[in-house]
Amino acid sequence: MRFFNFCQISLPLISFVLVGWIAPRANAALLVGSYYNNSVLRYDEKTGEFIDDFVPSGSGGLKGATGLTIGPDKNLYVSSILSGSVQRYDGKTGKFISTFVPSGSGGLDTPEDLVFGPDSNLYVTSINSRTSNSVLRYNGQTGAFIDTFVPSGSGGLSAPFSLSFGSDGNLYVSSALTDSILRYNGQTGAFIDTFATEQKGSEPGGLTFGPDGNLYVANLNNNISRFNGKTGAFIDTFVPVGSGGLNNPVKPIFGPDGNLYLSGLNSNNVLRYDGKTGAFIDTFVPGSRGGLNGAGFLAFTEDSTVVPEPRMDLAVLVVGAMLGVSKVLSRKQKATS
């Protein structure tokens, strides 16, 4: 009877061990905005293989997918630049949830990039040079307009393409038409200074802070600049012009592997570069894979974590040990019977 009970306990335990060490686990994904297809495509974060149309073309009225960000609620928020709105989608399924920020809310016109701030509210660049060169703030839970966080033209802001909060809690915004990166107080939106300056005609676009704390800026003249994250001093051209076939990079993003990923708007691909040296590694997503057309902003899903490789050796050892114990108990049972 004892042997039977042991088997009842051990067999489920063996199954648990095998599931824990052997069963495949769902990989996270790289999301890529497909501007001309009005969609967001999903790719395997390790191989770059196409998975699916995470947000199908036109879902929820999406028109011209630009900025992408994962919110505090783990859902996906997308700037719909041609409809002047921000759309919200389920972060696991891509299903349309709601129009989070309606067209024109708070004067929103041509939203390019968006980010959730330290206060958990949503900040959106309004880039139409004729009517607005500002950063607007919206309630991070309801999408209701709060205020014009950075007023139009503040500090010389012109064509605010991208934005990012730094480790100092302040807001950094690329001013494409003045070839500069401007810094604003992260609590009040007041202009602080011109943090960094690009060469004339560079047209700085997407920006992000790297794991090293430095600022990386994608220039529309096809290179990536790196600036000291504290002083704004120019460090180097991290990715040289055209490296790996780079063509109109949108916004740099560091992946879970520590490397730098860049989409090419005109080449319809995603390129990968060494996160420490900037050396070209490979074309992570080849041109037009999965129907990618107008490769735009990138985002890694929130559950992008390192998953341990299957440990078959450990599972075999555990199973072998349990079978050995069962034999010993079986012999004892026979000796006493």
Side-chain angles (χ1 to χ4, degrees):
M1 181 63 69
R2 291 178 180 175
F3 176 69
F4 177 73
N5 288 340
F6 176 82
C7 288
Q8 284 184 315
I9 296 172
S10 63
L11 288 177
L13 183 56
I14 290 172
S15 299
F16 175 79
V17 169
L18 290 174
V19 168
W21 278 320
I22 301 174
R25 303 183 186 184
N27 287 333
L30 171 66
L31 303 179
V32 184
S34 185
Y35 179 81
Y36 295 113
N37 288 344
N38 307 310
S39 60
V40 178
L41 309 184
R42 180 164 56 170
Y43 300 86
D44 186 280
E45 69 158 5
K46 293 182 178 179
T47 66
E49 289 297 323
F50 176 68
I51 298 176
D52 59 12
D53 288 346
F54 187 68
V55 175
S57 180
S59 175
L62 183 61
K63 191 174 183 181
T66 50
L68 309 178
T69 192
I70 304 295
D73 59 1
K74 311 303 182 185
N75 290 317
L76 174 67
Y77 294 76
V78 185
S79 292
S80 180
I81 193 169
L82 298 181
S83 65
S85 60
V86 175
Q87 310 293 356
R88 178 169 54 174
Y89 302 89
D90 187 284
K92 293 183 178 180
T93 67
K95 183 179 179 180
F96 174 68
I97 297 177
S98 65
T99 296
F100 191 68
V101 177
S103 178
S105 175
L108 185 61
D109 190 351
T110 319
E112 184 76 44
D113 198 8
L114 70 174
V115 66
F116 281 88
D119 58 1
S120 296
N121 289 318
L122 182 67
Y123 296 75
V124 186
T125 58
S126 187
I127 197 173
N128 192 321
S129 60
R130 294 175 299 173
T131 60
S132 175
N133 284 284
S134 57
V135 177
L136 308 181
R137 178 165 57 171
Y138 300 88
N139 185 290
Q141 294 184 335
T142 67
F145 175 68
I146 297 177
D147 58 13
T148 300
F149 190 70
V150 176
S152 184
S154 174
L157 184 62
S158 183
F161 187 96
S162 183
L163 71 174
S164 180
F165 280 91
S167 60
D168 59 1
N170 291 318
L171 180 65
Y172 295 75
V173 184
S174 60
S175 180
L177 296 185
T178 60
D179 299 314
S180 57
I181 309 301
L182 307 180
R183 178 166 54 174
Y184 301 89
N185 186 290
Q187 295 184 337
T188 67
F191 175 69
I192 297 177
D193 59 13
T194 297
F195 183 72
T197 302
E198 288 280 11
Q199 292 183 352
K200 188 175 181 180
S202 296
E203 294 185 73
L207 53 84
T208 190
F209 283 90
D212 58 1
N214 292 318
L215 180 65
Y216 294 76
V217 182
N219 297 307
L220 299 183
N221 65 353
N222 301 326
N223 67 3
I224 307 299
S225 298
R226 177 167 56 170
F227 298 89
N228 185 291
K230 293 183 178 180
T231 67
F234 176 75
I235 297 176
D236 57 14
T237 299
F238 190 70
V239 176
V241 173
S243 174
L246 187 61
N247 191 345
N248 203 349
V250 177
K251 182 172 182 175
I253 183 172
F254 284 86
D257 59 1
N259 290 317
L260 183 69
Y261 292 75
L262 287 166
S263 59
L265 183 66
N266 294 335
S267 52
N268 300 315
N269 59 11
V270 178
L271 308 179
R272 178 166 54 173
Y273 300 85
D274 187 286
K276 293 183 178 180
T277 67
F280 175 68
I281 296 177
D282 58 14
T283 299
F284 189 70
V285 176
S288 302
R289 172 177 283 179
L292 184 59
N293 188 2
F297 287 75
L298 308 175
F300 281 94
T301 52
E302 190 70 10
D303 58 342
S304 295
T305 54
V306 178
V307 180
E309 293 297 324
R311 296 298 304 276
M312 179 66 75
D313 53 341
L314 290 178
V316 170
L317 286 175
V318 172
V319 174
M322 297 185 76
L323 290 176
V325 172
S326 69
K327 287 183 179 180
V328 171
L329 292 179
S330 177
R331 287 173 184 172
K332 285 185 178 181
Q333 185 181 35
K334 289 180 180 179
T336 56
S337 60

